Amino acid sequence: MEEIGQPLKKESVPIITVDVVVLTLDQGQLQVLLQRRPYAPFVGVWALPGGFVHMDEDQDTLAAIQRVLRDKTGASGLYVEQLATYSGGNRDPRGWSVSVAYMAILPKADLHIAQSPDIALVDTANLPDLAFDHAAILKDGLARLRGKGAYSTLPAMLLPKEFTLSELQAAYEVALGEKLDTSVFRRKVADFEFLEKTGENRSGTSKRPARLYRLKETMQTFERTLGRSF
Amino acid sequence: MEEIGQPLKKESVPIITVDVVVLTLDQGQLQVLLQRRPYAPFVGVWALPGGFVHMDEDQDTLAAIQRVLRDKTGASGLYVEQLATYSGGNRDPRGWSVSVAYMAILPKADLHIAQSPDIALVDTANLPDLAFDHAAILKDGLARLRGKGAYSTLPAMLLPKEFTLSELQAAYEVALGEKLDTSVFRRKVADFEFLEKTGENRSGTSKRPARLYRLKETMQTFERTLGRSF
């Protein structure tokens, strides 16, 4: 009896998507890659880059997000980390959906974005409204960067491979959202021994040349933690 | 032309499941909750507790795993944290699947497991073969506990609400997989100010009574980090 009169169910096949929070640094600003949605739902609204999983083509959701990134940024083999999975019957008007969200942190020079008014790097301090629950996903991504940034080399991934200590400090400050004391910062960098000198200097500025550093090979992953916090 | 002769595709509706790594401490051993699978695939093989998402019933995957935990452990409202999502065409013989995996860390007294030969707490140092990719999921869960344990109150969640400093140190040692120096441990516990005295002592042992502590209210979440490592 109770079955009669139930509202028509939405599509009973779940929707499986992937989305990605791509963060980079430009002129001292933490920026996120957004695209304007070309179709419904949320047509014309900015969103994180993403798409459906292609079950006949993608080995797993990691392969799916690599495909999406390749299509939208020209970058292949980008290092991404799983952020979290967002799910439920209310986040997408098309039906019960699961989005596996990833995070990519990279220097701006590694992004080759199509010339289009519908894809852009946007200052994370000045965001438009976002489609679906993408504002929450982005917020979680920024919290991850801030949380892990304090005890890992994550902020260094915002920079090109070679950087000065001033540039590294600026990356940590943007990631953590706070100013750091230069002498404390430099002592901790020395303590943790995660950098090596390239042997080159950055010249061409008005100041005296600054030594260039890079992450040691063994430190070039997200999960490599420093054991203590900045 | 290329369409002809393609092998028959597996079911093209994705399978959405949830699984959970339930960790607890018993007599100095880190233990995980396992169940023997009652049906194919992997019938009779041990696996992490889990099940299908019920799209008509579960608001999201968190609600789904809470339902699974309630059914299998008698515990409702357990605090769980998302671990990671595992996906792909090869991890489940029934088709392309997504499993959103969670983690629960709790004192043994909070688990009310059915009396059954098919559900058990198993020493993580002495595991049977597990179904699907559950060995990899469990490995990731143990790594999370080890990694976060070093700079968070996570290991304290293995204990009852009130504990002695010796019991807390034992929980950290099991979580981190290494012995800790007692004087260093106690100094750091004092530095981080995440405990409060209950005002009671543990008596009844042959030693002199030991003071009982509990986590401060504000520290009773997974994500609450201590800022520095043990």
Side-chain angles (χ1 to χ4, degrees):
Chain A
M1 288 290 282
E2 291 178 0
E3 298 289 327
I4 297 169
Q6 282 195 342
L8 201 65
K9 281 182 190 159
K10 278 188 275 193
E11 182 57 70
S12 65
V13 174
I15 296 163
I16 314 275
T17 61
V18 286
D19 291 299
V20 63
V21 177
V22 177
L23 296 173
T24 192
L25 189 62
D26 190 33
Q27 299 178 357
Q29 283 185 342
L30 189 60
Q31 298 189 332
V32 61
L33 186 66
L34 298 178
Q35 63 167 147
R36 206 190 290 271
R37 286 182 56 78
Y39 38 72
F42 297 102
V43 62
V45 178
W46 291 97
L48 298 172
F52 287 100
V53 167
H54 298 171
M55 287 191 291
D56 53 352
E57 177 186 354
D58 300 325
Q59 198 191 325
D60 50 25
T61 55
L62 178 61
I65 203 63
Q66 292 285 10
R67 175 177 51 73
V68 166
L69 278 168
R70 203 166 51 238
D71 291 351
K72 304 207 171 164
T73 72
S76 56
L78 283 190
Y79 185 77
V80 298
E81 176 176 275
Q82 245 192 56
L83 178 59
T85 293
Y86 302 81
S87 66
N90 296 321
R91 57 181 300 280
D92 186 322
R94 293 168 293 188
W96 214 98
S97 71
V98 172
S99 171
V100 184
Y102 288 83
M103 200 165 154
I105 299 183
L106 73 176
K108 186 159 181 249
D110 287 3
L111 278 173
H112 305 284
I113 307 169
Q115 286 290 336
S116 157
D118 295 329
I119 185 161
L121 284 168
V122 176
D123 182 2
T124 55
N126 193 15
L127 291 166
D129 285 340
L130 298 183
F132 305 106
D133 50 3
H134 287 192
I137 298 175
L138 174 54
K139 192 176 163 211
D140 289 349
L142 294 172
R144 169 82 59 98
L145 175 61
R146 201 159 46 239
K148 282 201 162 182
Y151 57 88
S152 78
T153 58
L154 205 51
M157 301 188 75
L158 292 164
L159 299 173
K161 272 205 157 38
E162 307 192 348
F163 45 78
T164 67
L165 291 182
S166 299
E167 290 164 352
L168 184 65
Q169 182 174 341
Y172 271 89
E173 288 177 342
V174 163
L176 302 182
E178 57 182 277
K179 286 280 170 198
L180 300 172
D181 179 85
T182 298
S183 62
V184 172
F185 181 80
R186 296 207 172 192
R187 192 177 65 239
K188 292 204 171 185
V189 165
D191 282 354
F192 297 152
E193 298 180 336
F194 65 99
L195 298 182
E196 59 191 16
K197 290 175 193 152
T198 67
E200 310 273 311
N201 293 323
R202 168 99 73 225
S203 53
T205 69
S206 56
K207 298 179 190 171
R208 69 187 168 89
R211 239 190 258 282
L212 283 169
Y213 292 82
R214 63 180 161 238
L215 288 181
K216 286 182 183 170
E217 190 76 40
T218 53
M219 300 302 291
Q220 290 178 15
T221 78
F222 266 43
E223 293 292 348
R224 187 67 58 178
T225 60
L226 295 177
R228 274 160 298 176
S229 66
F230 279 94
Chain B
M1 288 290 282
E2 291 176 358
E3 300 289 328
I4 298 173
Q6 281 195 342
L8 201 65
K9 279 181 192 162
K10 279 188 274 191
E11 182 58 69
S12 65
V13 175
I15 297 163
I16 314 276
T17 61
V18 286
D19 292 298
V20 63
V21 177
V22 177
L23 295 174
T24 192
L25 188 63
D26 189 32
Q27 300 179 354
Q29 283 186 341
L30 188 62
Q31 298 189 330
V32 61
L33 186 66
L34 298 178
Q35 64 167 146
R36 206 190 291 271
R37 285 183 57 77
Y39 37 72
F42 296 102
V43 62
V45 177
W46 290 97
L48 298 172
F52 287 99
V53 167
H54 297 171
M55 286 191 291
D56 55 352
E57 177 185 355
D58 300 324
Q59 200 191 324
D60 50 25
T61 54
L62 178 61
I65 202 65
Q66 292 285 12
R67 175 177 50 73
V68 166
L69 278 168
R70 204 165 50 239
D71 291 351
K72 304 205 171 166
T73 71
S76 57
L78 283 189
Y79 185 76
V80 297
E81 176 177 275
Q82 245 192 55
L83 178 59
T85 294
Y86 301 80
S87 66
N90 297 321
R91 58 181 297 283
D92 187 320
R94 291 167 295 189
W96 213 99
S97 71
V98 172
S99 171
V100 184
Y102 288 83
M103 199 162 154
I105 298 182
L106 73 175
K108 187 162 181 247
D110 287 3
L111 277 174
H112 306 283
I113 306 169
Q115 287 288 338
S116 158
D118 295 329
I119 187 161
L121 284 168
V122 177
D123 181 2
T124 55
N126 194 13
L127 291 165
D129 284 340
L130 298 182
F132 305 106
D133 50 3
H134 287 193
I137 298 176
L138 174 54
K139 192 176 162 208
D140 289 349
L142 294 172
R144 169 82 60 98
L145 175 61
R146 202 160 46 238
K148 280 200 161 180
Y151 58 87
S152 78
T153 59
L154 204 51
M157 301 187 75
L158 292 164
L159 298 174
K161 272 207 155 36
E162 308 192 347
F163 44 78
T164 67
L165 291 183
S166 298
E167 289 165 351
L168 184 65
Q169 182 174 342
Y172 271 89
E173 288 178 342
V174 163
L176 302 181
E178 57 182 276
K179 285 282 169 198
L180 300 171
D181 179 86
T182 299
S183 62
V184 172
F185 180 79
R186 296 207 170 190
R187 192 176 65 239
K188 293 203 170 185
V189 165
D191 282 354
F192 299 152
E193 297 179 337
F194 65 101
L195 298 183
E196 59 192 15
K197 290 175 192 151
T198 66
E200 310 274 311
N201 293 324
R202 167 100 73 228
S203 53
T205 67
S206 58
K207 297 181 192 170
R208 67 185 170 87
R211 238 189 258 284
L212 283 170
Y213 293 83
R214 63 178 162 241
L215 289 181
K216 286 182 183 169
E217 191 76 40
T218 52
M219 301 302 290
Q220 290 179 16
T221 77
F222 266 43
E223 294 290 349
R224 186 64 58 176
T225 61
L226 296 176
R228 275 159 297 178
S229 67
F230 278 94

